[in-house]
Structures are given as structure tokens and as C-alpha cells.
Amino acid sequence: MTLAIIVSFSRSAIIGLLIGLGVATILLVPKQLRKWFVVAFLLAGLVVWLSVQSIVTTGPDSALKGFLFRGDITSLGVIGSDQGHIGSVANGLDLVRQHPLGLGLGSAGPASFYGPVEQQLITENWYIQIALELGILGLGCLLLAYFKLIKVFLQKSSIINLTLVAGLIGLLSTNMFLHSLTDSTISIIAYSLTGIVMARRVVS
């Protein structure tokens, strides 16, 4: 599965994978060492971010730079496919500010492609999509539900629970850049596993 994610060349998926692996490592080490692993994980993330920034903005053209950044940075801004990603996020945020109560289900994300062409909207961010569909309050309730779910799973330090927590946090991280959970295969697997574990917890 890891190899499939890597060869997909999806930057968002790889970010989710790395964050998920980091969370899994932190949860599996003894509790007295966790805070040090958290610090090390954050420092490693900062180093990686600064390295990526350096490669993208000042590094020579290379296959690595082409993988990390799809476009060119000029005095006018970003030119290339990543320009569309940035523009979609900015447009989505503007619409959220204009419609804080939301526009209804199907108004954003892949489902919007079943409507009129002029109303099709991909925000490149799952949370912005939810805010546009359910409003800021709806997004807040959803995030609270995920927080509660993760908190419940962490009450029992079984390998299944910790794996689900790491996987869920990885998916939620990927959702910052993609509409991951709008994919039916991913959502069915994720929520089915979650439901099974929650049901086992209730029965036991």
C-alpha cells in the first residue's frame, strides 16, 4: 500500500502517509518517551518544509523539483497547475465568507459536477467543501465528532485502535489538499472499520 501511494506521485497522499506513520510511531512508543518523539517529529517536519521551500524557490530544475512543485514562481505569482490549486482554495474561502451558513449538500466538491457547469466547484480542500455545504457550524460539528472519535479510540491502547487513529489522522491531513473522503472506496473502508471497532467496544 505504501508503494502504491509513493508511485501515485500524489503529494497530498504522501504527506498523509508520513503524518500517519509519525502518529503511529508516537502512539507505539512508551508514554514517557512520547513527548520527545512529538518534538522530534515536529522538528523533522520543519526541516522537511524548509528544505522543500528551498528546493522549490531557489533550487535548479530537477525531477525532484518537478515532483514537489508543478509550475513556476514569477514576480506575478505562481504559473502552472499549482496555480489552479491555490486559486481554488482562495475562491472556496471567499465563498465561505460570503455564505457562512453554507450552500447545501452537493454545492461543492465532486458532487457539484452533477449540476450546472457554472456551479461546479472543486475547492481542493475537503474542509472548505464541508463548510460550503454545511456551513461553518456544520464543519465545527464534524471536526468535534472526529475529535471525540479519536479520543474514544485512544482510551484503549490496542494495536487496532492505534492503527485506526494513525490512519484517520493521516486521511484528515490529506483532506487539507484533496477531497479524500468523498472517494467512495476510501470512505466506505474507513467508516466500516471505524464502525466495526466501535461496535466491538460497545459489545465488550
Side-chain angles (χ1 to χ4, degrees):
M1 291 177 66
T2 301
L3 180 61
I5 291 174
I6 293 173
V7 299
S8 72
F9 299 106
S10 169
R11 296 166 296 178
S12 307
I14 292 174
I15 289 173
L17 172 65
L18 293 176
I19 291 176
L21 290 174
V23 171
T25 302
I26 291 169
L27 293 176
L28 289 172
V29 299
K31 289 185 178 181
Q32 60 269 27
L33 297 177
R34 283 183 183 174
K35 63 180 179 180
W36 300 110
F37 272 79
V38 170
V39 172
F41 182 63
L42 293 176
L43 288 176
L46 178 61
V47 170
V48 170
W49 172 251
L50 293 176
S51 299
V52 169
Q53 288 280 79
S54 176
I55 292 171
V56 167
T57 56
T58 62
D61 291 338
S62 63
L64 178 59
K65 183 175 182 178
F67 169 74
L68 294 173
F69 186 73
R70 286 81 186 267
D72 296 305
I73 299 176
T74 68
S75 58
L76 300 176
V78 177
I79 298 177
S81 63
D82 278 348
Q83 180 184 26
H85 295 295
I86 297 170
S88 295
V89 171
N91 183 44
L93 289 173
D94 285 339
L95 287 173
V96 170
R97 283 192 287 267
Q98 295 171 24
H99 306 279
L101 298 180
L103 295 171
L105 295 175
S107 58
S112 66
F113 279 77
Y114 291 97
V117 175
E118 63 275 7
Q119 294 180 13
Q120 294 175 1
L121 177 63
I122 294 293
T123 61
E124 303 290 354
N125 182 301
W126 187 68
Y127 303 101
I128 297 176
Q129 174 192 331
I130 297 300
L132 279 172
E133 291 186 312
L134 304 179
I136 295 175
L137 180 60
L139 174 62
C141 290
L142 183 65
L143 293 177
L144 184 62
Y146 278 116
F147 175 78
K148 176 65 176 177
L149 186 63
I150 291 172
K151 186 177 179 181
V152 168
F153 282 156
L154 289 176
Q155 290 174 356
K156 184 178 180 181
S157 298
S158 70
I159 190 65
I160 295 177
N161 284 36
L162 298 184
T163 301
L164 273 176
V165 168
L168 186 57
I169 291 177
L171 270 177
L172 293 176
S173 301
T174 302
N175 283 335
M176 290 291 297
F177 314 100
L178 287 175
H179 304 258
S180 302
L181 286 173
T182 57
D183 180 88
S184 57
T185 303
I186 294 176
S187 59
I188 288 172
I189 292 174
Y191 292 132
S192 295
L193 288 173
T194 300
I196 291 169
V197 173
M198 288 293 289
R200 289 182 60 189
R201 176 178 177 272
V202 172
V203 171
S204 60

